[in-house]
Amino acid sequence: MDTGCLSSMNINGVNQARSFAGQLPTQKCFASSHHASFAVKSLVVRNRGRRSHRRHSALEIVCKDFPRPPLESTINYLEAGQLSSFFRSSERPSKPLQVVIAGAGLAGLSTAKYLADAGHKPILLEARDVLGGKIAAWKDEDGDWYETGLHIFFGAYPNIQNLFGELGIEDRLQWKEHSMIFAMPNKPGEFSRFDFPETLPAPVNGIWAILKNNEMLTWPEKVKFAIGLLPAMLGGQPYVEAQDGLTVSEWMKKQGVPDRVNDEVFIAMSKALNFINPDELSMQCILIALNRFLQEKHGSKMAFLDGNPPERLCMPIVDHIRSRGGEVRLNSRIKKIELNPDGTVKHFALTDGTQITGDAYVCAAPVDIFKLLVPQEWSEISYFKKLEKLVGVPVINVHIWFDRKLKNTYDHLLFSRSPLLSVYADMSVTCKEYYDPNRSMLELVFAPADEWVGRSDTEIINATMEELAKLFPDEIAADQSKAKILKYHVVKTPRSVYKTVPNCEPCRPLQRSPIEGFYLAGDYTKQKYLASMEGAVLSGKLCAQSIVQDYSRLSLRSQKVLQSEEVPVAS
């Protein structure tokens, strides 16, 4: 996601203008948008012209936001805050390190932010003209935003929550009621809820939410599921880590959990966590999520950002970095990692011919991009060779603007339980900046996307409308005889977060590489959270911590390099 983006805009319905931003072959973001009345069955696109559009203030309060939960007393939040304080309280360097960081997603931004807090000078390079990596977003010609993904901020994201607090932007999170809401495939237009009572502590509130829901699981199924989970509850982290060798489906069969629990709950959960189904996903991933969501009272409580991520989250981080002497440069794509004779990094060579030199180097690009950049001299080192198993999973994010306000939605994230869709939200209701009192804009995650990422936008919209007709039977028809599409955007990511299949955990690298002065950041690197926004931010903090801890060695190394480059003056 931190690399090239292929953007196409279909303004007149059939004529497309494409602009390329120098993409690498395995990592392209394809964003397309259409203004059209869309005849789904006949696949005919007819231009209806530009719709009138009323803009609303990004800060206009239109949703019933719930109070921010009291997270400050949780152990994980305190640990995250302690790690943040490490940078602020560390001894100021006599000569700040110049650290070159490739990739301005959350991992790169986090690395740069905390290095700047410690008194060093990060130089953050982003290949594209947009910040955010996997949370990047773009504004279309109407002034509407469309995003790389539907991003949710959980109470169980302590490093993210600390980051918002450190930047003074906690009010930009719109907290929703503490519930998980699932569509009912056998009852079109109806939803089933898991409501977590505020008066009960964890994990009792989560158990209560499960026991109170009688629409998705029967009592015998709940009991067998609970018995199946007992080893995880009693065995703790060692047990969780040991389940990395099993898929969700294999684990459930081994534990005697009924198939219907998989069908009713875990298909939706697996697609929401990693965009793949339970027969592929590592059970460790599910157990990590359940541990965070059930062990913390507000762990599963959700919040939406109040606007687009590049402006509302990424820019405050950039401003913070720059205020402390760091740099952030867009349109700066890494072409090659040039090495010294001893195998250490000499400089980052950019596609424009520029060479960026530093005292230390970080690659915070997605794992698929980094694998393309690994120098041949490093390729047989175990640390880098193990990365071959980590491969990004394809995902598609769909945005559809309708000509009316849909009634069968909530001010919340919804689990679709559709074969093709993962989660969705009516962003015209859930997000202040996207608010529209007259029309709905559904943002949907299309997953699994392996078989779809290469298909046309028309086919993807067709399939989406077929599924929406089941979710909104009274309001949406596949042929648009009911709600009509005003426009849509499709954003394809052929390689997103790494695919969390069994036995990947040993392949995740530490942030400090075996190459002196070279580090990695990214949600795929070793950290205790999933491949997520929280994982990306934590990886950046751990990367920055490693560099700060290595200050003396890195500083000495830089002095030796300078001395070796000095040319003796002839007498």
Side-chain angles (χ1 to χ4, degrees):
M1 292 304 305
D2 292 335
T3 60
C5 176
L6 166 58
S7 245
S8 72
M9 189 73 70
N10 187 350
I11 298 171
N12 297 315
V14 290
N15 296 321
Q16 292 188 336
R18 290 188 171 93
S19 61
F20 294 82
Q23 60 270 10
L24 288 166
T26 65
Q27 187 76 16
K28 292 186 289 187
C29 159
F30 182 91
S32 65
S33 69
H34 292 243
H35 276 70
S37 171
F38 201 92
V40 176
K41 289 186 177 178
S42 64
L43 304 182
V44 175
V45 180
R46 303 186 303 273
N47 178 37
R48 295 175 71 94
R50 188 187 311 277
R51 68 182 174 91
S52 61
H53 187 82
R54 176 187 162 205
R55 301 305 304 152
H56 299 271
S57 167
L59 297 178
E60 182 181 0
I61 297 177
V62 296
C63 310
K64 181 187 175 183
D65 295 340
F66 285 74
R68 180 180 184 276
L71 304 171
E72 289 77 8
S73 61
T74 63
I75 293 174
N76 287 319
Y77 186 92
L78 293 171
E79 286 180 353
Q82 188 173 20
L83 181 53
S84 292
S85 69
F86 164 82
F87 302 101
R88 296 190 298 270
S89 60
S90 62
E91 185 178 349
R92 298 299 91 175
S94 55
K95 185 178 184 300
L97 295 173
Q98 183 165 287
V99 184
V100 184
I101 305 165
L106 281 179
L109 288 164
S110 174
T111 304
K113 189 264 184 194
Y114 291 104
L115 282 172
D117 284 349
H120 297 289
K121 184 185 177 183
I123 301 176
L124 184 56
L125 309 173
E126 168 55 43
R128 299 188 293 182
D129 61 356
V130 61
L131 297 164
K134 296 184 186 74
I135 63 167
W138 300 266
K139 184 182 286 190
D140 69 14
E141 59 183 18
D142 294 326
D144 291 316
W145 287 88
Y146 57 103
E147 305 178 0
T148 306
L150 180 54
H151 301 289
I152 305 300
F153 298 80
F154 288 95
Y157 280 3
N159 289 282
I160 285 273
Q161 299 301 334
N162 268 271
L163 179 61
F164 272 84
E166 292 159 25
L167 297 170
I169 57 172
E170 301 105 312
D171 61 341
R172 296 186 183 185
L173 287 177
Q174 295 181 244
W175 290 95
K176 307 304 178 183
E177 60 183 322
H178 198 171
S179 303
M180 302 185 82
I181 306 172
F182 292 74
M184 298 292 286
N186 298 326
K187 299 178 181 178
E190 295 186 22
F191 295 87
S192 182
R193 299 169 59 100
F194 292 86
D195 295 316
F196 294 70
E198 293 294 323
T199 54
L200 297 178
V204 179
N205 63 340
I207 295 172
W208 180 266
I210 294 170
L211 294 179
K212 286 288 288 182
N213 183 299
N214 295 314
E215 298 160 315
M216 291 173 65
L217 297 177
T218 65
W219 273 96
E221 288 166 345
K222 292 176 189 177
V223 171
K224 289 180 181 178
F225 179 34
I227 293 173
L229 279 178
L230 272 178
M233 295 179 181
L234 299 175
Q237 191 62 26
Y239 179 87
V240 170
E241 292 177 0
Q243 307 316 302
D244 184 44
L246 296 174
T247 65
V248 176
S249 299
E250 290 169 344
W251 180 89
M252 294 185 67
K253 185 176 181 180
K254 178 183 174 183
Q255 297 301 116
V257 178
D259 289 341
R260 247 179 50 84
V261 176
N262 184 65
D263 298 341
E264 293 294 304
V265 177
F266 283 107
I267 290 177
M269 192 171 181
S270 297
K271 293 202 294 185
L273 287 172
N274 198 237
F275 313 123
I276 57 178
N277 282 314
D279 59 349
E280 290 188 280
L281 184 69
S282 166
M283 187 61 194
Q284 184 191 42
C285 182
I286 291 284
L287 291 176
I288 289 173
L290 287 176
N291 184 45
R292 299 298 173 209
F293 291 162
L294 295 179
Q295 295 302 322
E296 299 177 27
K297 179 175 179 178
H298 304 288
S300 57
K301 194 174 178 69
M302 304 179 205
F304 284 70
L305 191 61
D306 67 358
N308 71 89
E311 290 183 350
R312 302 298 288 169
L313 173 54
C314 297
M315 272 311 299
I317 305 175
V318 169
D319 292 340
H320 182 93
I321 293 166
R322 287 173 173 164
S323 72
R324 283 156 176 75
E327 299 179 38
V328 180
R329 307 177 189 175
L330 300 179
N331 299 304
S332 300
R333 183 181 302 279
I334 305 298
K335 180 180 180 182
K336 188 177 182 182
I337 300 174
E338 296 281 2
L339 303 183
N340 292 309
D342 65 355
T344 58
V345 179
K346 183 179 182 181
H347 57 249
F348 281 175
L350 306 189
T351 53
D352 64 3
T354 306
Q355 297 176 352
I356 309 295
T357 304
D359 301 308
Y361 300 85
V362 178
C363 186
V367 64
D368 295 285
I369 297 305
F370 174 60
K371 288 192 290 187
L372 292 178
L373 294 171
V374 172
Q376 183 63 36
E377 293 89 333
W378 297 354
S379 59
E380 294 306 312
I381 299 173
S382 175
Y383 176 90
F384 301 105
K385 195 171 181 60
K386 287 192 296 185
L387 297 177
E388 292 175 6
K389 188 171 175 63
L390 304 181
V391 178
V393 63
V395 65
I396 300 170
N397 208 46
V398 178
H399 312 69
I400 303 178
W401 282 258
F402 288 97
D403 66 345
R404 65 194 67 182
K405 201 73 178 172
L406 299 173
K407 299 174 183 177
N408 196 33
T409 62
Y410 283 84
D411 178 11
H412 213 296
L413 179 76
L414 302 172
F415 292 83
S416 77
R417 302 175 74 209
S418 149
L420 296 178
L421 304 176
S422 171
V423 292
Y424 69 98
D426 186 344
M427 299 298 282
S428 70
V429 173
T430 61
C431 178
K432 292 174 184 175
E433 185 175 17
Y434 303 163
Y435 171 69
D436 191 321
N438 303 313
R439 301 177 180 88
S440 284
M441 188 276 270
L442 295 187
E443 185 172 344
L444 312 105
V445 178
F446 198 101
D450 300 68
E451 299 178 8
W452 289 88
V453 75
R455 298 199 193 183
S456 70
D457 298 339
T458 298
E459 291 177 287
I460 291 168
I461 293 296
N462 282 345
T464 302
M465 287 294 286
E466 292 281 356
E467 295 302 314
L468 288 178
K470 300 171 187 174
L471 294 172
F472 297 83
D474 297 329
E475 301 179 84
I476 296 177
D479 63 359
Q480 289 192 81
S481 57
K482 298 176 182 178
K484 292 179 173 53
I485 297 175
L486 294 172
K487 67 174 180 178
Y488 64 83
H489 290 283
V490 173
V491 181
K492 299 177 181 177
T493 308
R495 300 287 179 92
S496 182
V497 295
Y498 80 93
K499 195 172 185 178
T500 313
V501 296
N503 301 310
C504 275
E505 195 63 27
C507 301
R508 297 176 73 181
L510 294 171
Q511 288 75 31
R512 182 188 285 112
S513 87
I515 307 299
E516 188 174 47
F518 183 76
Y519 304 80
L520 292 178
D523 58 13
Y524 70 93
T525 62
K526 193 74 172 178
Q527 39 82 20
K528 64 180 181 179
Y529 289 88
L530 307 171
S532 60
M533 292 185 292
E534 171 68 13
V537 170
L538 178 55
S539 79
K541 293 175 82 169
L542 295 174
C543 180
Q545 182 184 42
S546 297
I547 294 170
V548 172
Q549 291 171 340
D550 295 347
Y551 170 70
S552 297
R553 189 165 70 250
L554 293 170
S555 184
L556 182 61
R557 177 175 172 272
S558 293
Q559 290 175 19
K560 290 180 179 178
V561 170
L562 286 174
Q563 290 171 2
S564 67
E565 291 175 349
E566 288 179 357
V567 179
V569 179
S571 56

